[in-house]
Amino acid sequence: MEVRPGRKPFRILSLDGGGTFALIQAKVLDDLFPGEDGHQVLSHFDLVSACSGGAIVAAALIEGYAPREIFELFDSPANRHALFGRLPWYRSLLQLVTGVFSPSSPVGRRFSTGGKLEFLRRILPSMGSTSLHSLHGILNDSIASLRAQRDEPDRPMSFLFVTYDFDRDRARMMRSNVTSPAASFPHRQQRATLAEAAHASSTAPINWFDKPAEFDGCRFWDGAMTGYNNPVLAGVVEAIAMGVPRHDIGVLSLGTSTVFLPEYGSDGIPEELCQPRARTGFLPELVKVGKTIIADPPDAHTFIAHLMLDGGLPLDVSCCPHTETAIVRMNPVIQPVIDRATGEWSVPAGWRVEDFRRIAEMDISARRQDDVDLIKRLCDGWLRDEWHNQPIRGCGIWTSPLADSPLATTDRLCEIGHRWYSDAKTAWTELSA
């Protein structure tokens, strides 16, 4: 069954985690909703599902920040150093010691959990101390007024932050709508404040923050630990549980970049553009385990959600990309592209191989300005269609270009979804207009 074309009356904004890379989401929202403040942006949606860095973006929208102002929050060195506040050397000895024996895979906590909460409370002066339950009414009053100005019918808007309950080893959704049919019984008022909820959702363990977020007698890890770093599936399940017809649901899913490199030794692809074979051993494997929370498994949720909303499948490669979907995924993919002049795999135009490798290997807690400038450069190039957009389902096999292939190899990597940002933007306009 194909997705019914046209406008989707129930719209979900899904915001991935990704640390400093979340500035990409702010840039996209500014491009889609130029000149609008946070509440104006939210008034275009009925549900927001957010995780980790995306939860900070969502909280800033609820506070009223315009997307451009959210971008400036992440672009500020002082803010980044407050968000990722370094621990004193004597509290990060494990990081220092393991770095001696394994320079490429140091292990250990680096940042202050308490310092992050102070930062969030500082940037959320109006709404940060308000409980999610109370925010539900406050936010809906503001959004109802904005919709009335556009002669749109009033309808409730809600949001949820994904967290990991440290003591119960369970996913925990912090909802503004405590009576959501998706919530377990008994329905209780959500006592977490906006700042606390964003804090709980963004406290990444192992190689990042020094202890779980703690408030109201509970402790929390980053929501990405639940597998919902890409929270699109959480949002779709929430909407279906609320009784929204599947054919009425449209999703704008914003990522923070993903790395998809060819396997080392792939035919016809330069080695420097390939994914090196991962090292084995306790330290490198521990680091790898920590990073799986932002790797492909959460992104598979986009494909699952596509099928849940009755999205179709391509019959064969000649039908790719299949673009009839209720989910618009916008996320830059760090991968080689085909040089249009030579027909060979290369880095995107204007990029050096060393910068390409650097952005591919960059930690989500980027604090240095030259690193952040590289993230901004990636984002700007993606918005100009110089980097590929992440598909809902992609081809996992890299090969050298073949003259008799039904599609150019670079296009075949997108099987379902939109291969370029401009295509995704057009698709979202059609779903939301």
Side-chain angles (χ1 to χ4, degrees):
M1 178 179 176
E2 294 292 334
V3 176
R4 189 181 70 183
R7 185 178 187 274
K8 298 295 182 181
F10 189 95
R11 296 186 289 277
I12 300 171
L13 174 61
S14 176
L15 299 168
D16 290 17
T20 307
F21 284 77
L23 65 83
I24 293 171
Q25 296 171 342
K27 290 275 281 187
V28 174
L29 291 172
D30 185 52
D31 185 56
L32 296 177
F33 307 103
E36 296 193 2
D37 65 26
H39 289 193
Q40 289 173 314
V41 171
L42 293 173
S43 71
H44 298 286
F45 299 92
D46 302 278
L47 174 66
V48 176
S49 58
C51 184
S52 196
I56 296 176
V57 172
L61 290 171
I62 294 168
E63 176 70 19
Y65 285 96
R68 185 174 297 274
E69 294 172 322
I70 299 174
F71 170 81
E72 291 168 355
L73 284 176
F74 285 100
D75 197 32
S76 161
N79 284 337
R80 290 196 305 273
H81 284 256
L83 175 61
F84 297 108
R86 280 281 189 183
L87 295 170
W89 67 269
Y90 54 85
R91 292 182 57 194
S92 54
L93 280 175
L94 183 60
Q95 178 83 198
L96 297 173
V97 172
T98 56
V100 172
F101 296 99
S102 182
S104 62
S105 305
V107 175
R109 302 158 175 174
R110 292 175 286 166
F111 308 120
S112 168
T113 299
K116 177 163 68 72
L117 179 57
E118 291 178 9
F119 165 74
L120 291 171
R121 285 172 171 163
R122 175 169 62 81
I123 66 168
L124 304 171
S126 299
M127 301 287 196
S129 60
T130 306
S131 71
L132 300 191
H133 174 70
S134 298
L135 274 176
H136 189 69
I138 296 171
L139 189 60
N140 273 292
D141 287 344
S142 173
I143 288 177
S145 174
L146 292 167
R147 287 174 174 164
Q149 294 173 24
R150 300 197 298 261
D151 293 323
E152 293 181 3
D154 185 25
R155 58 192 189 276
M157 182 268 182
S158 59
F159 56 89
L160 65 86
F161 293 154
V162 184
T163 72
Y164 182 90
D165 190 317
F166 178 81
D167 293 296
R168 299 178 64 201
D169 289 324
R170 296 286 188 277
R172 180 167 165 184
M173 306 297 177
M174 294 192 174
R175 296 176 170 89
S176 63
N177 179 14
V178 295
T179 62
S180 166
S184 302
F185 295 118
H187 292 160
R188 293 188 292 262
Q189 288 191 6
Q190 182 57 258
R191 289 184 289 185
T193 66
L194 178 62
E196 289 170 341
H199 181 50
S201 184
S202 60
T203 304
I206 302 177
N207 239 33
W208 290 281
F209 290 95
D210 62 336
K211 57 184 178 181
E214 184 171 0
F215 52 86
D216 198 25
C218 300
R219 295 182 293 179
F220 302 93
W221 266 349
D222 194 298
M225 296 297 292
T226 67
Y228 284 102
N229 192 59
N230 174 351
V232 61
L233 191 57
V236 169
V237 168
E238 189 82 4
I240 292 174
M242 292 164 59
V244 181
R246 298 182 189 216
H247 57 71
D248 283 346
I249 299 172
V251 184
L252 178 62
S253 174
L254 302 185
T256 56
S257 82
T258 187
V259 180
F260 181 50
L261 301 181
E263 293 181 0
Y264 188 80
S266 295
D267 182 41
I269 303 178
E271 291 184 359
E272 62 268 21
L273 303 184
C274 294
Q275 180 70 50
R277 286 181 62 83
R279 295 175 57 214
T280 58
F282 178 73
L283 291 180
E285 289 178 20
L286 183 60
V287 171
K288 191 173 182 66
V289 166
K291 290 183 176 180
T292 58
I293 64 175
I294 55 173
D296 182 66
D299 293 326
H301 287 182
T302 316
F303 177 57
I304 297 170
H306 165 76
L307 294 179
M308 288 177 65
L309 298 181
D310 298 326
L313 300 172
L315 295 176
D316 54 47
V317 69
S318 66
C319 300
C320 298
H322 180 89
T323 58
E324 293 185 33
T325 176
I327 297 178
V328 177
R329 178 68 170 164
M330 295 182 175
N331 192 30
V333 184
I334 299 171
Q335 65 178 45
V337 299
I338 290 184
D339 187 297
R340 296 177 182 177
T342 65
E344 301 295 330
W345 291 104
S346 69
V347 297
W351 280 70
R352 300 179 304 167
V353 170
E354 50 266 41
D355 287 338
F356 177 86
R357 296 299 315 184
R358 189 168 138 219
I359 193 72
E361 297 167 2
M362 191 176 294
D363 189 81
I364 59 173
S365 58
R367 303 198 316 164
R368 290 171 32 185
Q369 191 60 47
D370 57 340
D371 285 342
V372 176
D373 288 342
L374 207 59
I375 298 172
K376 293 188 291 184
R377 187 178 165 202
L378 163 70
C379 181
D380 291 341
W382 167 64
L383 294 175
R384 295 191 299 265
D385 292 342
E386 295 169 5
W387 295 78
H388 283 283
N389 185 56
Q390 185 183 27
I392 291 172
R393 191 185 82 183
C395 175
I397 300 175
W398 292 78
T399 60
S400 56
L402 299 174
D404 59 351
S405 174
L407 290 173
T409 308
T410 187
D411 292 340
R412 187 163 53 84
L413 291 173
C414 178
E415 295 183 353
I416 301 174
H418 307 93
R419 70 171 73 93
W420 303 109
Y421 172 77
S422 60
D423 295 334
K425 182 177 179 179
T426 298
W428 177 249
T429 300
E430 293 173 353
L431 287 182
S432 60

